[in-house]
Amino acid sequence: LNKDVIAVNMDLAPGFVSINAGSGDGVRRGMVFQIYRGATYKGEVRVESVTEGACAAVVTTSVDGTQIMTGDSATTAL
């Protein structure tokens, strides 16, 4: 599943992202997405809540020197 980061909130550690993938895409709580910008790996997030068309995920791994941003790719193997 290849989707996009549509919102980022790093105000509270470790940070949260919204992804335009939801239950309609088969996403469930606890699923893990890897975050990329092009070929650059930025980190990993774990889904905490899911709606029909989107999900919210907590950042579990972040790569030093990178910043997860709106428009990054979110990929997972379903």
Side-chain angles (χ1 to χ4, degrees), residues 4-20 35-37 42 44-45 55-59 61-62 66-74:
D4 298 310
V5 175
I6 55 173
V8 178
N9 182 346
M10 294 298 186
D11 292 344
L12 292 173
F16 297 90
V17 301
S18 295
I19 299 169
N20 63 349
I35 308 299
Y36 291 89
R37 171 69 63 147
K42 293 187 166 188
E44 188 173 273
V45 300
C55 64
V58 64
V59 177
T61 304
S62 57
T66 67
Q67 183 177 357
I68 297 173
M69 299 167 48
T70 301
D72 286 345
S73 297

